Amino acid sequence: MGRLLLASAALPRQPTTEALLTQALLQADAQSFQEREFQQGLAASLARARHPSDPEASQQDMAQWEALFSEPLGQQLFGDPRLSPAQRLANLSFFLVRPTFLLELLSLYTGNLTSMAAHEAQLALQAFEPEQVAPIARFPEALVPRFPELASLARPVDAQALAVLIPHVLRPDQAAHAMHALAEDILQTVQDDTPVKEPRLALANAAAEGLRELEAQCLAETAPQQVAQLLVLAALQHQCFFQNLPAFTEEALARQSLPPGVSDSVALGFLATAMGHLGMALGGPVGSAVAQRLTQSACQTVERLRTGEQLPLGALSGEVLGIPGLGLAPHALGEVAAALTQLYASQLSQLGDDTASLLGPLAPLLFQGEVEGLGTAWTQLLMDPERMGELQDSEASLRAEVLRILLVGGTVGAFAWDTVVPALHAQSQTLLGASLPTDTPPDMLVTLYAASAARAVAVLGNDELIEALSSASVTPAEALAESQGRGAGLFAGGLAPDDPSLTAAMLGALAPAAPTFEPSAEDTPDGSEG
């Protein structure tokens, strides 16, 4: 079997090679995984499937697969006779959706992949750079009462508000002491003698180490903004640990009577928790919503790849939301979440005073990064005849500013499309110059508006196409034909079919052609027109 797998690794990925891989895994026993030839063949096949067009990456990947299969615990993950076929596939899938394997965690958690996922998620949050913490990133409400210095601040407390307290109310050394106390809180929680004390302590040590690193940075920092960023990030790391700990403990207890492996739903819960906190650091509540929507979409895509007895072999080659290397790795997901949050923030930063005034009560919610009530506020704006009249009478560039915030917000997950689509549909002809038929079923309306918005917003990331649109060098339909929907899968609804006419109308409204200058007689040297 090992030779056959080695030979198949040189072939293009196709259903027959995928079937061979799956059967090899299901039929192999513990003895097979101890054979060098089988390890090499399986490693080569998996690496080639994950990196079909990058020989160097494939070679590096093959090395880590061989390292995994040569580990005694690695062999148990796939060759333990107690494993059902579904469990074997789940164990392999755990690694298939990760670009790199933290093999040092395998022995730390004695083959419990779910516990590894919690540790991995905590490390991803700890890798977040403090200077990236947004001014609107919120200090966890549950921790506010533990800090008397924050009593004077209005709720919710964010990094921007915290910075005002430093150094007169809260000195940097006091902030560092608070981080130390949070680390001690984590360690004290896991001192009870339980059957799973060791894995709980391993996770706690990792979380506490992250807080100690922030504490050390805080002691060397004096700038109010940086101290506030460090404190918010420390509090988010603390909360992530405590929110994941109950499920971590419960699963570790259950795993004692089971073979090494993974509980997919619990592991994905750990990932979602960490991504929510990472998103909060990136962009406040809206950043958290963006990161959680992205994670959910990626998880759903991977689940579809695993339908039946299939393996998610293409999870790193672009089959998850169209992004090569994405899979379900926390670090990769964090990078994409950062890009989407920045896309939304960049639209907000371009709002002029006139536009903000037109948005009325909606504007404060947008600038605070709020998501609660945001969809309702957009609906109220769209149904306000006076404001819609002002928007209709305004310049195309101002309408584009408003529509960019609206459509980008919906596509990144700042609000649910089903909240806003009925009002948007009612104003579609006015705002976009196009509309779907009045007899379109409500559910289909939501699907089509979301899918069309995803494709239109995806083009915003292509500077060349946007410039061509603004100069009227290409039409919206031509720009969409050239973009071919690339990147749309990243956005809410982007994997569903769109309505091409609606998509073109949206793109034309988002990137209107700049008005051409027609000189008057007074503008020409001889006073004549032309």
Side-chain angles (χ1 to χ4, degrees), residues 465-528:
L465 281 179
I466 292 298
E467 184 177 344
L469 279 167
S470 298
S471 63
S473 300
V474 298
T475 66
E478 290 170 340
L480 288 165
E482 185 173 337
S483 70
Q484 297 181 343
R486 287 187 293 270
L490 281 175
F491 301 104
L495 296 177
D498 67 329
D499 181 275
S501 297
L502 181 62
T503 306
M506 285 182 173
L507 183 56
L510 291 176
T516 56
F517 176 66
E518 293 290 345
S520 65
E522 297 176 354
D523 296 319
T524 57
D526 59 0
S528 61

Side-chain angles (χ1 to χ4, degrees), residues 44 142 169 180 190 209 225 237 247 254 287 375 452 481 516 523:
V169 177
H180 183 84
V190 297
E209 181 60 30
Q225 180 182 347
Q237 290 183 13
S452 290
T516 56
D523 296 319

